[in-house]
Amino acid sequence: MEDYEVMFESIDLGEDNAYNIIKKSDEIKIKKILYKSIHNPNLFPSYSTFNLRGKRYSIANVSGELIKKVEKQKKVKDLQKAYEKKVLKKGEKNTTIAPLSEIKKTNPSLLTVKIKKKKYKDKIPDINDIPLMNITADVDYVYDNAVEVINAKPVEKKKKVGKVLLDEDPLLKEDYGKISPYLIKMKEELKEKQNLKKQDIIDEEKIAKELETKKQDLLIHLKNKFDEINKEYMKISHVVDVNSVVKLKKKENYEKQLNQLEKDIQKLEKSDF
């Protein structure tokens, strides 16, 4: 037997050799180390345009810190228990009502009326009942009315002036021919209002005069300044050979000042305070 094994081993069959296949399967295979990322796989992509809430934002997860909610899968037993709790059987909560024949035998007290309704109407009288008749009072209403009229005071009649009834003669009143205090008060209020209006007009005129004087003073001041700068500018303007930088800057500065002063003077002359 050993000779056959040696003979088979000596034969070079390559990949078809069964012994080589067995040897390869017996060899311990070393597993490669799997790559594990540092980053959390449940993180949402930053600056994403998906899963936006509302129309206000066009980008989601700017900070890059949002994490997906990973729900653990429930076991089959837990799901079965939850399903059994939810499902109700037929007639589980309903109670059956016994028929009348059984109630009469077992509990007849349920069929009796415990509280009776009140009767709001009176009983109908019998045929033999006699009604009450000829009931009179001892009061003499005619005599009582006569006494009240005799003891009452006479009512004073009002005087008629055309169609109007007057209690008193208007000529005999204390206020006749006098101006009412209401009208006097109204006149005083009107006078006060007129005086206030006049005072306001006077104040406005004073303010306008003051503003006008200030305006004229400003104009004079600006014109004087313009003349001073213009004199200095005229001294440099006739110079043809301007090689120095200082002279050039001075000339430009004078020109700017003169232009600005001209604009200010024009504004003041046009403006109305």
Side-chain angles (χ1 to χ4, degrees), residues 37 46 129 134 136 227 246 272:
S37 178
S46 58
D129 290 341
N134 299 322
T136 56
D227 292 335
V246 178
D272 295 325

Side-chain angles (χ1 to χ4, degrees), residues 10-191:
S10 63
I11 296 164
D12 188 15
L13 295 172
E15 292 180 357
D16 296 332
N17 194 350
Y19 288 102
N20 290 331
I21 293 162
I22 292 160
K23 282 179 182 179
K24 283 179 183 178
S25 63
D26 291 338
E27 288 176 0
I28 298 163
K29 291 181 180 180
I30 299 163
K31 289 183 179 180
K32 291 180 181 180
I33 297 163
L34 293 170
Y35 173 75
K36 287 184 179 180
S37 178
I38 301 165
H39 306 288
N40 190 357
N42 295 323
L43 279 172
F44 281 109
S46 58
Y47 288 91
S48 173
T49 54
F50 297 105
N51 300 322
L52 297 173
R53 292 181 180 178
K55 296 180 180 179
R56 189 175 178 184
Y57 303 106
S58 58
I59 297 165
N61 194 17
V62 177
S63 60
E65 294 177 356
L66 286 173
I67 299 168
K68 293 178 187 176
K69 289 181 180 179
V70 181
E71 293 181 357
K72 290 182 179 179
Q73 194 172 1
K74 291 181 180 179
K75 293 179 181 178
V76 178
K77 289 181 180 179
D78 296 335
L79 291 168
Q80 283 177 352
K81 285 178 183 177
Y83 181 73
E84 285 172 2
K85 284 179 183 178
K86 286 179 184 177
V87 176
L88 293 171
K89 293 178 182 179
K90 188 178 178 182
E92 191 174 352
K93 287 190 175 182
N94 297 333
T95 54
T96 54
I97 298 164
L100 273 171
S101 58
E102 287 183 9
I103 291 165
K104 284 177 182 178
K105 290 176 183 178
T106 55
N107 195 2
S109 62
L110 292 171
L111 301 172
T112 56
V113 179
K114 292 178 181 178
I115 300 164
K116 292 181 179 180
K117 285 185 178 180
K118 292 180 181 179
K119 290 183 178 180
Y120 295 103
K121 290 182 180 180
D122 295 328
K123 290 181 180 180
I124 298 164
D126 294 333
I127 298 165
N128 299 321
D129 290 341
I130 300 164
L132 297 168
M133 296 173 73
N134 299 322
I135 295 168
T136 56
D138 297 331
V139 181
D140 192 356
Y141 293 105
V142 176
Y143 179 76
D144 290 340
N145 288 332
V147 170
E148 282 181 7
V149 171
I150 291 160
N151 293 327
K153 291 180 180 180
V155 180
E156 293 180 0
K157 290 183 179 180
K158 293 179 180 180
K159 294 177 182 179
K160 282 188 178 181
V161 180
K163 293 182 180 179
V164 183
L165 295 171
L166 298 171
D167 294 331
E168 296 178 3
D169 191 1
L171 299 171
L172 300 172
K173 284 185 177 181
E174 293 178 358
D175 299 334
Y176 179 74
K178 293 180 181 179
I179 299 164
S180 63
Y182 171 73
L183 290 170
I184 295 162
K185 190 179 177 182
M186 289 294 291
K187 281 181 181 179
E188 287 175 356
E189 286 179 358
L190 286 168
K191 281 181 182 179

